[in-house]
Amino acid sequence: MLSADDFLVLSPIILLAASSVVVMLLISLKLSHRMIQVCSLILFAVSFASLFFIQNLLPYYVEPLLVIDRFSVFIMGLIIFSGMVVSVFSYIYFEEKEESPKEYYVLLFLCTLGACILAISENFISLFLGLEILTVGLYALIAYLRGRHHNIEAGTKYLILAAFSSSFLLFGMALMYLQTGGMEFSSIASSLRKELELPPLFLTGFGMLLVGLGFKLAVVPFHMWTADVYQGAPTPVTAFIASASKAAVLAVLFRFLLQIDGFRFKLILLIIICIAVASMLIGNILSLQQRNVKRILAYSSIAHLGYLMVAFLPGNEMSIRAVSFYLTAYVITTLTAFGIMIVLSAKDDDAEDIESYRGLFWQRPELACILTASLLSLAGIPLTAGFVGKFYILASGVAAGFWVIALILVLSSVIGLYYYLRIITTMFSGTKPSVTTEARQHPFYYMLSLMVLSGLTILIVWFGVSPAGLMHFVNDFGLT
Amino acid sequence: MDNLLWLIPGFPLVGFLILTLAGKNMSRLARGLTGAGSICLSAIVVLIVGWNFLINPPAAGNYTQTLWTWFEIANFKPTITLYLDGLSLVFVFVITFIAALIHIYSIAFMAEEADDARFFASMNLFVFCMLILVLASNLLLLYLGWEGVGLCSYLLIGFWYQKSENGYAARKAFIITRVGDTAMAIGLFILVYQFGTLDIVAISHSAPEMWQAGSKIATLCALLLLAGGLGKSAQLPLQTWLPDAMAGPSPVSALIHAATMVTAGVYLIARMHVIFQLSPVTQMIIAIIGAATLIIAGLSAIVQYDIKRVLAYSTMSQIGYMFLALGVGAWSAAVFHFMIHAFFKALLFLAAGAIIEALHHEHNMFKMGGLKKSLPVIFWTFLIGSASLAALPLITAGFYSKDQILWYSWASDGGSPLLWFTALLGAFITAAYTTRMMLITFWGEAKTHLGMRPGKLMTIPLLILAVFSLVAGFIELPHNFGHVQLFSEITEKVLPGTNIRAAVSGEFIYQIIAVLTTLAGIYTAYILYYRKPMIIINLKHSKSALGLYQFLLSGWRFDKLYDTVFVRPIVYLANLNKDDVIDKFYQGITWLTGRAYRALSFTQSGSLRWYVMGLLIGAIFILTIQIIL
Amino acid sequence: MILIYLIGILTFGSALTLLSGQLNKGLPKWFALLTLLSGFVVLLVFWISNYKEVSLQSTNTWITEYYHNWIPAFGISFHLAMDGLSLLMLLLTFFMGILAVLCSWTEIIERVSFYYFNLLWILAGITGVFIAMDLFLFYFFWEVMLIPMYFLIGIWGSANREYAAYKFFIFTQASGLLMFLSILALYFIHGQNTGIYTFDYFDLLGTQVSPTVAFWLMLGFLIAFAVKLPVVPFHSWLPDAHTEAPTAGSLILAGLLLKTGAYGILRFVLPLFPRASIEIAPWAILLGVIGIIYGAILAYSQTDLKRLIAYTSVSHMGFVMLGIFSFNEFAFQGVVMQLITHAISTGALFLLAGMLKERLHTRDINQMGGLWTSMPKMGVIAMVFVMASLGLPGLGNFVAEFLILLGGFKVHVVLTSIAALGLVFSAMYALRIMQKVFLGPNVNLETAFSAKTDLPDFSLRELLVMGSLSICILWLGLNPQPIIDTVKPMINGLQEIYASPIITQNVK
Amino acid sequence: MNSLIPIDMVILLAAILFVMGIAGVVIRKNIIFMLLSVEIMLNASALAFIAAGAKWGQPEGQVMFIFILVMAAAEVSIGLALILQIYHQHKSLDIDILKEMKG
């Protein structure tokens, strides 16, 4: 039975679940979009705040499904934070599109909930539940603007592929369960402890699990959907997929691997290395001459997940820290980049084409600077969080002696430089005749979005210049 | 007196600075006065210092003035120190004295020139550099002057820069001499490591102790230094720049390409004679180069039609004599010939300049003619200069200086009959082309209308130089004929005496032979070019003679040779590689990634079924890896 | 304190220029100038007042130091320190900075405040590079200077600027990351050896690394610096970047950015990996010599003036490579001299190219010619720097090249002799500049620019800039002793490393 | 626990079903059939869970089965909605028409 502490510790999850219900109720009250937006913002904030109240209880196990330690709370924090930021951006985006997106917030809460459950799950069952709550919510979100071809196309693609990969995941889990007799990570780990070589059945299962999770992470070779879905989905949803969903899946995969101490096994290591290397290279090359900014970011996210996989490799405390730090930097940066796209998008134009950024610096310098900062951070240039993140990853890789991998990371990130620079160059080149500043349709939300963006940018720079604080925080994460 | 030394190069430097910085704002007269005045002041200082030097010889045998330390690294401490001894005194005197005359001449010569400030500035800078060269107490400072005169030569050859040829001639001069300079620089490196210093006195002092005579290192060093000298002095094989250098104004040719700069090589070898003495092989090479150059250049001079080119080849040839003298160990004779040559060659060039100026910039001798009457002063002075060049016996200075060389090329340690014979042949050729030049230019009928006549400012320097061309020889007379040794007394403290081979005697006979050769040369030219010009004209119908003519006219086709062997390949390669072949490699990488992008981008076909296949292939791939491994 | 002040004033100044641009278009350049002037004056006063100490002390080479924790979790500190070499490089940085501002005075008319913002940021980055004594911090600054430089080329450059900017950035970034890997490896090796994980330069100095590993780590560093320097075959970013950059950009590229490469080798590669450096030395020298000749020949064939000058940098930097890996005092001193004199001479040539571009709107030397007639002052100045470029004695470059060749000669006679041939080739390209631009007939000019037959000679501002450069190069050529004295302690330190028998013997 | 049917056989059956589902997804061009095939795959996995649960005598396998069913239902409902929209927009259910985004 659940105890009082259980409830307390699960309060963020419960709050998120409740929020979705509350929003649903509010919708039934026929409140305006703005009201609902504000309410959901507050609810997000409350959920986020609740994270701080459970600090003292950590680590805490809700047997047998969930584990709440500092790492998972941190990841939850990232997820809820992303959800909150996305909800802020959503208003402008959907108001521009003139759709009434009230149910959107319900789905957003559900997705956030799913992601959070993923982040704290320690059992195949909760993993599956969390994953599916997240995914099913995303189906709807991606296809949310159902009148538009791209949305429907993206939704369909995501649906079929996600279900397809989910079945792999499930089959893999079933096989592993068959082998080990447990669905909890810890029991799997204990049954594996005796083994020097992985049993073939387990290996097959693990491989299939990787297919499922790899799909969600969009790592090569399961990456093909990424660009289409990123492009087709409404931009705030893309931002959510790119940040929260990735963070959650990554966290659970990482936890699983650490718990079963998967890096003992050369084979698993080899597979992860292959995936990482392929992701880094292919992701970066794919965006090389891409002209659609959303697709660029999609492909670049493939590469970034590749980097993160490199951070996995050592499988020690350093890995956790590196992953946490890089993930933070990545989430913040990605949100910023997509935030700019949202702010720039108009009714029929999602500000996708790189040409729509030409001369942006001379027209809206604040937006251009923010986007530049985020792109530089993605490229890993100093003064930004991305640099310190990359440093962390390289450090953990080099410390464990993964020389060649580190070298490949470096080389591929050089390729990556090119397309980030291309966007930046486009922003700084040329001068469109300055458009007469039309009155913003939603001045309040515009300002709010801008403030959020500025805040994110400050975070990017802050973590880049003075990362000691975040590092200190991250350094407390241990193996549970 | 020591502390006056800095004034000698100081005045020209000041002149240069004033003219460069403020030249545009000064009146023409002020510019001329500044230009010529600074050199005259310098010459006066030289006279004072030189007088003192000769009257009260300093105990150390030299004046030294250290201005500052250039730099000091690991005990290597080249200083900016001026050093005057007998050898440099001769050079300093010749340089300042002749330069002063040439500057005065130039005031008139450049009267029509708009950019005379630049001219005088460059000339002053040149004198400064040349003085630094000869006054330098260490080889690094000498090298500064050495390269500095190269720069000035570049500036002045290309003075009339609007014509591209002049610019190219200037560039050629600079680059060819640079080849020699580079070798010389390497020589300096060796000296630094051998002696830990570049101080000339110190090196001269310790070289005989450290090196055995004929040792490899000594030879190497001597050869490298020689290379520098060959470049500057236009000796084989680095001689090709000098005829082209005549593109500059005539005073420039007089000053730089006849009197002073081209003798820098002579100075260097005389200055570093200790090292050359340690390498008999190099000395022999010097002698041979000198002999070869004097013949090659002399023969070329015979067929030239541009009066300045005749003089240019003659300069090469005369410096060949000096090299010959240096090669056979007749140090003092070489320097003496340098001085005499400076007088009459400056005179010849200035006079030629006056003629050219008077004839509307006509350089072709065959379009001159008959100037004997119309330009009497020029005629007489030119005649004296020519006589001196041809070494007309007894009355001209050139006779005495060349006679010494001829004698030593036979009689000295390093001498040999072959060298002597070459020198003699050279004397014949010299007399011949000089006579030819005189006859064509001044006799016959006038072919070009006479323009402006030279004024006093131009003729007075000519007259002074003419006097020196006649009388300067008397300060050094052969021991069997007057035995005056004023000159070698000055240099004897610096330069070693010449050893005479034990077995030779009968100097008088050789002198007679030399005299006869000269006269024969004059007579031959007289016959061919005055009495019976038909011989030459008939010769022109013969194909082989014409070929020979062309061959000689082009200076033995050295230009062509270098052009084919060095210039063209380098330029061809450079142009071939203009876009940098290495860059292609990086472009290749770019191209490859571009291809990779296109290939990968093709996989993103948008087709769901294809994506499913991709996912499946990925899954199969992972499972296969696991099963195989 | 002066170290913090220098970085501080640059960042502060850059912010000020950016903000002041909102008020008035004319303000930013004044603020930029004031910022740099104040920094320069402070440095100059510092140098003069500490000159005795700097030049005479032989044991402790460090003049001043600043330490502050930055990221203690990784042993990263904000550790700045200055020795003679840094001091000279800083002086050069601020001097070049002032000139860069002055030469942009009228050239830059668009986006002025952002321009000066970038300019000051670059200088801040370079300043940081020259004084950072923490390897992480060093890398940080190393990268910081790239972005604004990228903007400078990419925004204010000429026609093909974007390509050039990419190329510049990607080359330097790629090589920089290799260095970063080496830094990390060094960090962990040191940590594993001693248990102290730190990026501090002084702590890492004595790290014991197995020879093979040391070689690879050294290579990581060396490649980064070699790209920056640039050493053939890593030079191909340079012609494009130089050519397309605005004048101030070329000035800073040639004058400062290239110098960071040489500085890096002197500061990091040599002291950190002495044995590995000795191992690679013959190859490095070979590359240097190839660079000297190859760069010179390429320079000769160019028709774009800036590109021509750019390739001369390749040639000159070949000397630096030769000098550094000769490991003796002459060569080291020559290298430092070369850094300074090359900055001045090539910087001046770029300025000239910029001024010509401003007047003629072309960089093609085939379209120029006979400009001496209309612009004699410019001709004279050009002559000075062309001569400096070909190493005329009396000008600074000669001292540098002479010392380098002298030093190199001790180690490698044949290669140094080949390098000396570079002197001949330098004459070829240098005189080609004079011939094509200032000499010759000005027929072409009249036809091509008939509207502008009356070309203005130097303005007062230009004369000030070029005059000061000329004086500098002459002063350096005739009395380089202050420079030599200032870096002497640092070079003595290097000398000691390479003279110690342990290191030299173990290689064999 | 002993059962009449060996576990291995059940797993084999599940695997065969799974592969059939895969084949269906890959081969069929009609979106509805693709969806159906995916369902088959999901159910194959569910069957595997049952088998595994049976092997260990634990209820978790069946718990998972129920979850999978629920999830499949949700998925199908959204899927059908999307298919409706596709048909609405394109008047076709051929999956190959959904190729607007690529590259």
Side-chain angles (χ1 to χ4, degrees), chain A residues 14 46 60 98 108 139 266 294 333 336 340 380 385 427 442 456:
Chain A
I14 296 168
V46 170
Y60 194 93
E98 292 168 14
L108 194 59
Y139 298 152
K266 287 276 175 300
K294 262 181 157 174
T333 314
T336 317
I340 295 288
M427 283 194 291
H442 318 286
L456 290 172

Side-chain angles (χ1 to χ4, degrees), chain B residues 92-354:
Chain B
V92 168
F93 167 72
V94 171
I95 292 161
T96 51
F97 182 69
I98 291 182
L101 292 176
I102 291 174
H103 274 77
I104 293 168
Y105 170 93
S106 304
I107 296 176
F109 189 86
M110 282 284 149
E112 304 290 312
E113 177 64 45
D115 213 359
D116 62 334
R118 183 160 58 91
F119 175 81
F120 281 115
S122 311
M123 291 286 272
N124 277 2
L125 182 63
F126 167 75
V127 175
F128 165 75
C129 291
M130 192 69 203
L131 288 171
I132 290 291
L133 197 166
V134 296
L135 283 173
S137 82
N138 67 63
L139 285 169
L140 199 61
L141 187 60
L142 181 143
Y143 193 73
L144 188 153
W146 189 268
E147 292 268 281
V149 293
L151 162 69
C152 299
S153 160
Y154 172 78
L155 291 175
L156 288 164
I157 295 171
F159 179 74
W160 286 310
Y161 58 82
Q162 288 91 344
K163 278 175 77 176
S164 291
E165 308 91 272
N166 297 352
Y168 289 124
R171 189 163 86 179
K172 184 175 172 189
F174 195 96
I175 290 172
I176 290 179
T177 52
R178 199 89 209 269
V179 175
D181 297 355
T182 303
M184 180 174 157
I186 295 174
L188 298 192
F189 300 150
I190 298 179
L191 288 176
V192 172
Y193 284 118
Q194 290 288 318
F195 299 102
T197 176
L198 283 177
D199 190 80
I200 293 168
V201 177
I203 290 176
S204 304
H205 200 71
S206 44
E209 294 162 17
M210 284 189 53
W211 291 346
Q212 291 200 321
S215 64
K216 272 185 188 159
I217 185 87
T219 306
L220 182 65
C221 237
L223 282 175
L224 287 168
L225 290 182
L226 171 66
L230 293 179
K232 272 283 178 296
S233 289
Q235 297 295 295
L236 275 178
L238 299 177
Q239 85 286 22
T240 57
W241 63 272
L242 188 63
D244 291 338
M246 294 304 126
S250 298
V252 171
S253 312
L255 180 61
I256 298 185
H257 304 123
T260 57
M261 181 184 102
V262 288
T263 55
V266 179
Y267 176 78
L268 179 71
I269 294 170
R271 181 48 88 198
M272 301 309 294
H273 60 86
V274 177
I275 286 177
F276 287 93
Q277 275 179 321
L278 288 172
S279 167
V281 186
T282 314
Q283 280 219 290
M284 198 175 78
I285 292 171
I286 296 175
I288 292 170
I289 287 176
T293 311
L294 77 90
I295 294 293
I296 286 174
L299 285 174
S300 295
I302 286 187
V303 298
Q304 301 300 318
Y305 53 84
D306 179 332
I307 188 167
K308 283 180 76 177
R309 283 182 92 90
V310 176
L311 292 174
Y313 279 111
S314 127
T315 303
M316 270 159 62
S317 163
Q318 294 301 311
I319 296 171
Y321 272 111
M322 296 176 213
F323 268 67
L324 176 60
L326 294 169
V328 300
W331 310 102
S332 186
V335 177
F336 186 52
H337 190 57
F338 146 75
M339 185 175 82
I340 305 298
H341 172 256
F343 290 132
F344 65 69
K345 194 49 72 65
L347 167 62
L348 286 172
F349 265 112
L350 291 184

Side-chain angles (χ1 to χ4, degrees), chain C residues 231-248:
Chain C
V231 176
V232 173
F234 306 113
H235 65 285
S236 83
W237 63 271
L238 178 123
D240 289 305
H242 271 93
T243 311
E244 304 301 333
T247 309

Side-chain angles (χ1 to χ4, degrees), chain A residues 40 47 61 64 81 94-95 98 116 150 183 188 209 212 214 240 317 339 348 363 366 370 375 411:
Chain A
S40 52
S47 318
Y61 296 88
F81 179 74
F94 286 104
E95 275 299 303
E98 292 168 14
C116 285
H150 283 183
M183 298 240 247
I188 295 175
L209 176 97
F240 189 82
E317 307 217 336
D348 297 316
Q363 295 151 37
E366 67 285 357
I370 290 169
L375 289 172
L411 290 181

Side-chain angles (χ1 to χ4, degrees), chain B residues 372-383:
Chain B
K372 193 168 62 168
K373 298 268 165 46
S374 48
L375 293 172
V377 183
I378 303 292
F379 167 68
W380 283 110
T381 51
F382 201 91
L383 183 65

